[in-house]
Amino acid sequence: MDISQQERTYETPMADKSTPSSLARYLDGEFWETKDHIREEISQGEPFRTSSYGLTLDQNRDLTVERLEYILTRPLMRHHLKDQDSEFTGMFAMTERGHGSNVRGILTEACYEPSTQEFIIHTPCEDAQKMYIGNSMKGNYASVFAQLIINGDSQGPHCFIVPIRDRHGVMNPGVTAIDMKHKEGLHGVDNGILIFDNVRIPRTNLLSKFGCVSADGLYSSPVQNKSKRFNAMLAALTPTRLGLTVQAIAAMKLGLIIAVRYSHSRRQFGPKDQQEVKIIEHQTQYLRLMPHLAAALALTFTTRFAACMMDHALCKGEVLQNNSSLQALVAGLKAYSTWENLACLQECRECTGGMGFMMENRIPALKCDSDVFVTFEGDNVVMLQVVVKELMTQFTRQLGNSVVGGLIKTWTSSVSDRLRTSFLGFNVDTVGDLSFLLKAVSYRERVLQRSLATRLYNKVEKKREEFFDAWNSCLHHVTGLALAHIHRVTLEQFALAVQECPVEEDHTLLTKFCLLHGTSLVYQERAWYLEHHYLTPTTSRQIRTQLLELCRSVKDEALKVVSDFNVPSCCIQAPIAGVANPRAEWAFYSAPEHPITASKL
Amino acid sequence: MDISQQERTYETPMADKSTPSSLARYLDGEFWETKDHIREEISQGEPFRTSSYGLTLDQNRDLTVERLEYILTRPLMRHHLKDQDSEFTGMFAMTERGHGSNVRGILTEACYEPSTQEFIIHTPCEDAQKMYIGNSMKGNYASVFAQLIINGDSQGPHCFIVPIRDRHGVMNPGVTAIDMKHKEGLHGVDNGILIFDNVRIPRTNLLSKFGCVSADGLYSSPVQNKSKRFNAMLAALTPTRLGLTVQAIAAMKLGLIIAVRYSHSRRQFGPKDQQEVKIIEHQTQYLRLMPHLAAALALTFTTRFAACMMDHALCKGEVLQNNSSLQALVAGLKAYSTWENLACLQECRECTGGMGFMMENRIPALKCDSDVFVTFEGDNVVMLQVVVKELMTQFTRQLGNSVVGGLIKTWTSSVSDRLRTSFLGFNVDTVGDLSFLLKAVSYRERVLQRSLATRLYNKVEKKREEFFDAWNSCLHHVTGLALAHIHRVTLEQFALAVQECPVEEDHTLLTKFCLLHGTSLVYQERAWYLEHHYLTPTTSRQIRTQLLELCRSVKDEALKVVSDFNVPSCCIQAPIAGVANPRAEWAFYSAPEHPITASKL
């Protein structure tokens, strides 16, 4: 063959470390040293050098185990694992065939038998089978949510530790595990079905934080109201949901690194008889990618804020179920971040054309793996209702039973203060200003709040509609309010992070992206602002012009930002991002025009 | 085990035929008999009883070959294949490593050698490698696009037949084929790279419709202008693009069948102490699905309209490159339908929760397979530019070179007439009326046309900006106009189909969905209408109320519509749609509450 191969100068998956910039440090935040340490461990880890596409289910699952074991045996992790014992693995068994979102309706039974001081865990019907249980093919113990039944009466769902198989993989009698096999993504996780046929466990296997049973079968709980008890139990999901948000942001960042680098190296079309331009120069290209980059930054800061709140609460020994504002924030953040991630990855896929459809370029697997984020750990539409319901509960607790009536009266004492996400004061007031944008998103939230409360009040209190029906007929409004709430919080947290940024040039850069995020939020909802005369047709057009202009103005700096995400090369491995993928020699390799490699050549 | 298995009454993949309804016939249109025949053939075909998920690449590819062979050997197809010869298979080799969207820049060379009367096909550099070529691992011949070079001068891209491997699979000397392996979807297609090292082919292997070379090396073409010649060649892609639209609609329909049936059988949440409600009853659920169902109907009728235009043109012996309006329509339809399909499938995935993430329920593979539709056979953003450029060309052809100047002058003589998609006359004029909606989408298109022409005129003619830069700075406007154009066409075609529907109850049903489609289009762009004072804040709110109300009012009839898509059970095979999937016994099976099975039980 007579092809003159272009000289390739791309990063290897094991590229050298370079000193992170001040912005990279700022994006990492307080725990940057730990994060750097983990980056190094991962970069040196053999199991992270292979990509998982095209493997069989079993190979994929084995790779997951291998990666997990590698992580757990690092000194940093061994230090944190209390007894350094990872002999057994567990699983979380909540969802059933018949009940996913509405967990309250689960059917698995745990009947107490005083004579043996045992619970009998049982699956009474097909709908009661535990479904989608991760680690179901290998795990030793399951924390099983079941109706706690004493003398035929249910005390509501409680959590029990049930042995599934011993250390040699031999199944516990009465337990059946069925592999659910093929999913859209997350091929490394062995989701399966668990069925219990009168499995006996000792009384002490009930996790007794929210209720316990005495030897002779007397039930007691620190939370008397069954419904509140159930909600308290669900509050345990809050940290998991925040973890999911972090994963969604990580997927977004990786997608953006790949799409932005490719857009800055690939050329296509251009002025007549001149060199083709980089595709990032096409107006549609930067318009599709830049708002997501701004959102990724906003989410980074907002998630850190939520994590701080959670740390703070846990350090004070608070039980999370009493912290409604945190629960609402995390539920909203989970919904917004996971949807935003999917939208972002889809744009990244499309903006990288056919290259983005190839597995070696990572975006397809990121999409498929994170697609389920929007429906698991609390379906997003349910999460948005949690946001609004928690806000209502919080404000009407002291006002007795009339939830919506009380709501209207107190709404103006402002949700935002209680959520510690209050409005920031600014002086100037033109459309292009951050102060305008902050006020706009705050205004929208407040108006949606008041009008929802009024609507519900009229339906429930005046027209005596069943609450479920009234709520359901307002569901579009409810989801709109929840998103408006979380949008406002992300913009405010971004603005705060900009204010606190110590390095001037980073401050300048972040300011532009913060403006872009706010402009993008207002642009998306400009119809609403026009309907409410908050924008005039002229200022609405200005918002659009501003969006286009901001996207254009940050497109080159985007290279620096994605570089400052500081993702190790071994985690990128996308040829179109200029990082070698050993499994795809033939792939299209971008020339390294991004800052991170400039210093290395 | 002591589980009382629910009695399952679902369709088998080979369910009996039932007589299609009048609506099913109307949706099939003129060629319903042929379609029924194909449905029957597919239902009886062994290769269509297996689903392809979880197979290896090779197994997947073999299954594709098996299915293709089955189809090609059916009497109906044998009748249409002229010489009944499928001994050899081919491939289409246009895209290169360096040039996808901008095909004009391809680098593969075809140099003519008069002494031997041969073309020498050659890949001069890495960027010239043919990429993403389907059937590259098995095919015998490729139609290769290459720069036709005579005596060192290029006559632009032409198409050549190049032998790749003989009937025994032995490679033609000088040809290299590299497997590109793993993609997000379409695993049954073996996309690969073709590289040519001075491969000699006879002079007669040039496809000479747009240019030929005499034995002694004289070039001649019916199209003198190189640029026009190139465009004429690209017009050959028009039928493929229409085919892609048909595939996108098919994927939408299948996704909707699955999501709508599941939504009508799955119950979750409900009024206190009462049975849970079907999830279709949740406002967000019907709001997410119904507009896509309306769009699927609109696209069905619009695609048939485009296919009629194409048939008509081809029967008259017209060359498609002279039919700009058809090219614009098909390009726009390709972009709109493929994006609409992705949005629809994503909602179907999310509306079916965790069940929709399982491969046996089909939606994930539909998404992954059709994801590439938006960037291949002409990237959608490029397609939208084709729409607008073709419209401009058509109207300025007689006015000399000043494209945009001429454009402004003649724009008011209306694009719509020339596209044979003219505005329909109606009398009444309130927001809820179809006449209002039709006028609104038509108004939006016209205003966007005029304002774009004015902007381009100012930039190019007055400010003397380079055309590429001027165009690029208006790209957001361009894509907006193109979509406005195709939106208007789909609504008009839907309205025409409603007018012509002969059965009264079908007419009534389609009218509702047509109103929903129009309402949804106007709702999406209500910000624009508010900016242009076409909607007042009050009428804008009315549009939202109307959208909610229409979605609610059609949610039950949706079951009939998806049933009338008349997709054979073997093509559904999704347990959550109530059709057995033999590979997923353990899956969640919906009870059959849909009309199609009611008659069969």
Side-chain angles (χ1 to χ4, degrees):
Chain A
M1 252 200 44
D2 188 22
I3 310 279
S4 56
Q5 293 281 335
Q6 292 178 349
E7 197 182 330
R8 285 177 176 166
T9 46
Y10 46 76
E11 294 174 35
T12 66
M14 296 198 56
D16 304 327
K17 291 174 294 179
S18 52
T19 310
S21 71
S22 56
L23 180 60
R25 281 277 178 269
Y26 193 63
L27 292 179
D28 266 355
E30 192 182 350
F31 302 105
W32 62 269
E33 274 178 315
T34 308
K35 291 179 183 178
D36 268 358
H37 191 80
I38 293 171
R39 288 186 181 105
E40 204 178 314
E41 294 281 21
I42 286 179
S43 296
Q44 287 171 2
E46 190 60 38
F48 293 93
R49 276 182 212 149
T50 338
S51 33
S52 63
Y53 63 86
L55 303 182
T56 65
L57 270 192
D58 284 340
Q59 288 167 335
N60 246 305
R61 292 170 177 183
D62 290 345
L63 181 61
T64 302
V65 172
E66 214 184 313
R67 286 177 174 177
L68 183 69
E69 277 173 0
Y70 176 84
I71 293 288
L72 292 179
T73 52
R74 290 314 92 193
L76 182 75
M77 291 304 292
R78 294 173 68 89
H79 176 72
H80 281 88
L81 288 173
K82 273 175 191 159
D83 53 3
Q84 301 202 0
D85 186 351
S86 54
E87 192 181 355
F88 296 113
T89 59
M91 51 198 114
F92 183 80
M94 183 181 258
T95 298
E96 295 180 357
R97 187 182 285 269
H99 286 90
S101 289
N102 189 8
V103 180
R104 201 187 296 253
I106 57 165
L107 299 170
T108 300
E109 295 169 352
C111 296
Y112 184 64
E113 194 178 73
S115 60
T116 56
Q117 292 195 34
E118 287 174 324
F119 290 106
I120 301 165
I121 308 291
H122 188 64
T123 307
C125 60
E126 197 177 22
D127 270 354
Q129 296 174 356
K130 292 295 177 186
M131 228 168 170
Y132 303 107
I133 312 307
N135 200 27
S136 60
M137 295 296 106
K138 291 263 173 77
N140 306 102
Y141 292 92
S143 48
V144 175
F145 281 78
Q147 301 286 347
L148 167 53
I149 295 170
I150 305 173
N151 297 324
D153 289 332
S154 172
Q155 295 291 339
H158 284 67
C159 186
F160 303 83
I161 298 299
V162 182
I164 302 298
R165 47 175 74 78
D166 69 15
R167 71 182 66 230
H168 309 294
V170 178
M171 296 300 290
N172 190 17
V175 180
T176 307
I178 300 169
D179 193 342
M180 287 175 73
K181 296 189 180 160
H182 299 280
K183 305 183 296 284
E184 178 177 346
L186 296 182
H187 305 305
V189 182
D190 53 346
N191 293 94
I193 296 170
L194 291 182
I195 306 169
F196 304 104
D197 182 13
N198 294 297
V199 177
R200 288 171 173 272
I201 58 168
R203 184 174 63 98
T204 48
N205 277 24
L206 164 64
L207 297 179
S208 56
K209 190 169 180 184
F210 300 109
C212 64
V213 178
S214 67
D216 52 352
L218 286 176
Y219 178 78
S220 62
S221 167
V223 190
Q224 290 313 306
N225 181 295
K226 256 192 206 178
S227 188
K228 281 188 183 155
R229 196 188 300 149
F230 175 71
N231 287 333
M233 232 166 305
L234 286 192
L237 294 174
T238 302
T240 319
R241 285 177 187 153
L242 191 60
L244 205 60
T245 297
V246 174
Q247 287 184 58
I249 298 171
M252 276 181 85
K253 286 179 176 171
L254 192 42
L256 285 165
I257 290 170
I258 295 165
V260 168
R261 287 188 179 179
Y262 179 68
S263 301
H264 270 278
S265 65
R266 176 76 170 180
R267 288 172 185 273
Q268 205 82 178
F269 296 109
K272 208 178 172 184
D273 303 325
Q274 289 179 40
Q275 193 189 16
E276 291 177 294
V277 302
K278 293 178 183 174
I279 57 174
I280 193 68
E281 302 298 335
H282 296 291
Q283 188 181 62
T284 39
Q285 189 84 354
Y286 57 74
L287 193 55
R288 294 173 88 177
L289 294 175
M290 293 305 112
H292 292 296
L293 188 52
L297 290 168
L299 280 167
T300 300
F301 296 118
T302 311
T303 303
R304 187 169 312 150
F305 163 72
C308 283
M309 273 178 82
M310 193 176 293
D311 270 0
H312 196 68
L314 292 173
C315 289
K316 280 199 305 181
E318 258 184 44
V319 267
L320 291 180
Q321 68 271 20
N322 292 334
N323 197 332
S324 307
S325 63
L326 177 60
Q327 282 185 50
L329 175 62
V330 170
L333 208 44
K334 185 269 180 188
Y336 174 55
S337 64
T338 55
W339 267 329
E340 173 56 28
N341 166 56
L342 283 194
C344 170
L345 289 177
Q346 188 60 34
E347 293 290 10
C348 290
R349 198 323 260 157
E350 297 183 21
C351 285
T352 52
M355 308 291 181
F357 193 66
M358 303 307 298
M359 289 304 283
E360 68 266 19
N361 287 320
R362 305 292 311 281
I363 299 172
L366 286 173
K367 276 174 55 184
C368 291
D369 286 349
S370 60
D371 189 23
V372 77
F373 291 6
V374 299
T375 55
F376 81 177
E377 301 293 341
D379 180 275
N380 278 4
V381 175
V382 177
M383 288 300 91
L384 297 182
Q385 295 176 68
V386 167
V387 173
V388 176
K389 282 186 179 167
E390 288 283 347
L391 290 173
M392 290 173 72
T393 307
Q394 187 180 27
F395 280 87
T396 54
R397 194 168 290 137
Q398 70 271 43
L399 290 156
N401 275 331
S402 173
V403 173
V404 282
L407 186 70
I408 297 178
K409 289 176 205 143
T410 59
W411 205 272
T412 44
S413 75
S414 192
V415 176
S416 32
D417 302 329
R418 299 291 290 272
L419 285 176
R420 282 193 271 164
T421 52
S422 67
F423 185 67
L424 300 160
F426 282 84
N427 296 319
V428 204
D429 221 44
T430 42
V431 176
D433 288 330
L434 190 50
S435 63
F436 174 86
L437 300 168
L438 283 161
K439 283 182 189 168
V441 294
S442 185
Y443 171 78
R444 180 158 186 263
E445 180 188 3
R446 283 203 313 279
V447 172
L448 284 173
Q449 281 170 353
R450 271 191 231 117
S451 55
L452 177 65
T454 309
R455 287 182 69 193
L456 287 173
Y457 178 78
N458 285 334
K459 284 169 186 277
V460 177
E461 304 284 331
K462 289 196 178 164
K463 297 190 192 160
R464 295 286 158 196
E465 285 182 27
E466 159 73 45
F467 184 78
F468 175 84
D469 296 329
W471 180 266
N472 189 37
S473 69
C474 294
L475 216 43
H476 184 238
H477 192 155
V478 167
T479 55
L481 166 57
L483 286 170
H485 168 73
I486 196 69
H487 286 170
R488 196 252 311 155
V489 176
T490 60
L491 187 59
E492 288 188 356
Q493 289 305 315
F494 199 165
L496 278 172
V498 171
Q499 266 187 351
E500 288 164 11
C501 180
V503 178
E504 196 180 331
E505 69 182 301
D506 297 341
H507 183 277
T508 309
L509 180 63
L510 288 177
T511 300
K512 278 206 247 179
F513 277 98
C514 184
L515 270 172
L516 172 54
H517 183 56
T519 306
S520 166
L521 293 177
V522 172
Y523 176 77
Q524 284 167 40
E525 300 297 342
R526 67 198 187 286
W528 188 91
Y529 290 106
L530 284 157
E531 281 178 2
H532 290 76
H533 302 287
Y534 200 89
L535 288 180
T536 63
T538 306
T539 51
S540 176
R541 286 197 189 93
Q542 276 174 17
I543 290 287
R544 187 180 57 229
T545 307
Q546 180 168 312
L547 180 70
L548 289 167
E549 182 48 36
L550 281 169
C551 288
R552 198 195 56 73
S553 80
V554 298
K555 69 180 164 46
D556 293 336
E557 286 159 312
L559 270 182
K560 172 176 167 55
V561 175
V562 298
S563 165
D564 287 341
F565 286 155
N566 205 0
V567 173
S569 295
C570 75
C571 295
I572 303 176
Q573 287 197 42
I576 57 169
V579 185
N581 184 321
R583 294 179 61 191
E585 272 298 320
W586 63 84
F588 178 92
Y589 279 81
S590 289
E593 306 199 27
H594 43 86
I596 200 169
T597 48
S599 57
K600 288 179 200 161
L601 295 178
Chain B
M1 252 200 44
D2 188 22
I3 310 280
S4 57
Q5 294 279 336
Q6 292 178 348
E7 197 184 328
R8 285 177 177 165
T9 45
Y10 46 77
E11 294 175 36
T12 65
M14 295 198 57
D16 305 326
K17 292 172 294 180
S18 52
T19 311
S21 70
S22 57
L23 180 60
R25 281 278 176 269
Y26 193 62
L27 292 177
D28 266 354
E30 190 183 351
F31 302 105
W32 63 269
E33 274 178 316
T34 309
K35 291 179 183 177
D36 267 358
H37 190 80
I38 293 170
R39 288 184 181 107
E40 204 179 313
E41 294 280 20
I42 286 179
S43 297
Q44 287 170 1
E46 190 60 37
F48 293 92
R49 276 181 213 151
T50 338
S51 34
S52 63
Y53 64 86
L55 303 181
T56 64
L57 271 193
D58 283 341
Q59 288 167 336
N60 246 305
R61 292 170 177 183
D62 289 346
L63 182 60
T64 302
V65 171
E66 215 183 312
R67 286 177 174 176
L68 184 68
E69 277 173 0
Y70 176 83
I71 294 289
L72 291 180
T73 52
R74 291 313 93 193
L76 182 75
M77 291 303 293
R78 293 175 68 90
H79 175 73
H80 281 88
L81 288 173
K82 272 176 193 158
D83 53 4
Q84 299 200 357
D85 185 351
S86 54
E87 193 181 355
F88 297 113
T89 60
M91 52 198 114
F92 184 79
M94 182 181 258
T95 298
E96 294 180 356
R97 187 182 285 271
H99 286 89
S101 290
N102 190 7
V103 180
R104 200 187 296 252
I106 58 165
L107 299 169
T108 300
E109 295 170 351
C111 296
Y112 185 64
E113 194 177 73
S115 61
T116 57
Q117 291 196 36
E118 286 174 324
F119 290 107
I120 300 166
I121 308 292
H122 188 64
T123 306
C125 61
E126 197 177 21
D127 269 354
Q129 296 174 356
K130 292 294 178 187
M131 228 168 171
Y132 303 107
I133 311 308
N135 200 26
S136 60
M137 294 297 106
K138 292 262 172 80
N140 306 103
Y141 292 91
S143 48
V144 174
F145 281 78
Q147 301 286 347
L148 167 53
I149 295 169
I150 304 173
N151 298 326
D153 289 333
S154 172
Q155 296 292 339
H158 285 67
C159 186
F160 303 83
I161 298 300
V162 182
I164 301 299
R165 45 175 76 78
D166 69 14
R167 69 181 69 226
H168 309 294
V170 178
M171 297 299 290
N172 190 16
V175 180
T176 306
I178 300 169
D179 194 341
M180 288 175 72
K181 295 189 181 161
H182 299 280
K183 307 184 295 285
E184 178 177 345
L186 294 182
H187 305 305
V189 182
D190 54 345
N191 293 94
I193 297 170
L194 291 182
I195 307 169
F196 304 103
D197 181 16
N198 293 298
V199 177
R200 288 172 173 270
I201 57 169
R203 183 175 63 98
T204 48
N205 278 23
L206 164 64
L207 297 180
S208 55
K209 190 170 180 182
F210 300 108
C212 64
V213 178
S214 67
D216 51 352
L218 285 176
Y219 178 78
S220 61
S221 166
V223 190
Q224 290 312 308
N225 181 296
K226 256 193 206 179
S227 188
K228 281 187 185 156
R229 197 188 300 150
F230 176 70
N231 287 333
M233 235 168 303
L234 286 191
L237 294 174
T238 302
T240 319
R241 285 178 186 153
L242 191 60
L244 205 59
T245 297
V246 174
Q247 286 184 59
I249 298 171
M252 276 181 86
K253 286 180 176 171
L254 192 42
L256 286 165
I257 290 171
I258 296 165
V260 168
R261 287 189 179 180
Y262 179 68
S263 301
H264 269 279
S265 64
R266 176 77 168 178
R267 289 172 184 273
Q268 205 82 178
F269 297 109
K272 210 178 171 184
D273 303 324
Q274 288 180 40
Q275 193 190 17
E276 292 178 293
V277 302
K278 292 178 183 174
I279 56 175
I280 193 69
E281 301 298 334
H282 296 291
Q283 189 181 62
T284 39
Q285 189 84 354
Y286 58 73
L287 194 54
R288 293 172 89 177
L289 294 175
M290 293 305 111
H292 292 296
L293 187 52
L297 290 168
L299 280 166
T300 301
F301 296 119
T302 312
T303 303
R304 187 168 313 150
F305 164 71
C308 284
M309 274 178 82
M310 192 176 294
D311 270 1
H312 195 69
L314 292 172
C315 288
K316 278 201 304 183
E318 259 185 42
V319 267
L320 291 181
Q321 68 271 19
N322 292 336
N323 196 331
S324 306
S325 64
L326 177 60
Q327 281 185 53
L329 175 62
V330 170
L333 207 44
K334 186 268 181 189
Y336 174 55
S337 65
T338 55
W339 267 330
E340 172 57 28
N341 166 55
L342 282 194
C344 171
L345 289 177
Q346 187 61 34
E347 293 289 11
C348 291
R349 200 319 263 157
E350 297 183 22
C351 285
T352 52
M355 309 290 181
F357 193 65
M358 303 307 299
M359 289 304 283
E360 68 266 19
N361 287 320
R362 306 292 310 281
I363 299 173
L366 286 173
K367 276 174 55 184
C368 291
D369 286 349
S370 60
D371 190 23
V372 77
F373 292 6
V374 300
T375 54
F376 81 177
E377 300 294 341
D379 180 274
N380 279 4
V381 176
V382 177
M383 287 300 92
L384 297 182
Q385 295 176 67
V386 167
V387 173
V388 176
K389 280 186 179 167
E390 289 282 348
L391 290 174
M392 290 174 70
T393 306
Q394 186 179 27
F395 280 86
T396 55
R397 193 168 289 136
Q398 70 269 44
L399 289 156
N401 275 332
S402 172
V403 172
V404 281
L407 187 67
I408 298 177
K409 288 175 206 144
T410 59
W411 206 272
T412 44
S413 75
S414 192
V415 177
S416 31
D417 302 330
R418 298 292 290 273
L419 285 176
R420 280 191 272 163
T421 54
S422 68
F423 185 68
L424 300 158
F426 283 83
N427 295 320
V428 204
D429 220 42
T430 42
V431 175
D433 287 331
L434 190 52
S435 64
F436 174 87
L437 300 167
L438 283 162
K439 282 183 189 167
V441 295
S442 185
Y443 171 78
R444 179 157 186 264
E445 180 188 3
R446 283 203 314 277
V447 172
L448 285 172
Q449 281 169 351
R450 272 192 230 117
S451 55
L452 177 65
T454 308
R455 287 182 68 193
L456 287 173
Y457 178 79
N458 285 333
K459 285 169 185 277
V460 177
E461 302 285 330
K462 289 197 177 165
K463 298 190 191 159
R464 296 284 158 197
E465 285 183 27
E466 160 72 45
F467 184 78
F468 175 84
D469 297 328
W471 182 265
N472 189 37
S473 69
C474 295
L475 215 44
H476 184 238
H477 192 154
V478 167
T479 55
L481 166 58
L483 285 170
H485 168 72
I486 196 70
H487 286 170
R488 197 254 309 156
V489 176
T490 60
L491 187 59
E492 288 187 355
Q493 288 306 316
F494 198 165
L496 278 173
V498 171
Q499 268 186 348
E500 288 164 11
C501 180
V503 179
E504 195 179 331
E505 68 182 304
D506 298 340
H507 182 277
T508 308
L509 179 63
L510 289 177
T511 300
K512 279 207 246 178
F513 278 98
C514 184
L515 269 173
L516 172 54
H517 182 56
T519 306
S520 167
L521 292 177
V522 172
Y523 176 77
Q524 284 168 40
E525 300 297 343
R526 66 197 187 286
W528 188 91
Y529 289 105
L530 283 158
E531 281 177 1
H532 291 75
H533 302 287
Y534 200 87
L535 288 179
T536 64
T538 306
T539 51
S540 176
R541 286 198 189 93
Q542 276 174 16
I543 290 287
R544 187 179 58 229
T545 308
Q546 180 168 314
L547 180 70
L548 290 167
E549 181 48 35
L550 281 169
C551 288
R552 198 194 57 72
S553 80
V554 298
K555 70 180 163 45
D556 293 336
E557 286 159 313
L559 270 182
K560 173 177 166 54
V561 175
V562 298
S563 163
D564 287 342
F565 285 156
N566 206 357
V567 173
S569 294
C570 74
C571 295
I572 302 176
Q573 286 197 41
I576 56 169
V579 185
N581 184 320
R583 293 180 61 193
E585 272 298 319
W586 63 84
F588 177 92
Y589 280 80
S590 289
E593 307 201 28
H594 43 86
I596 199 169
T597 48
S599 57
K600 287 178 201 163
L601 297 176

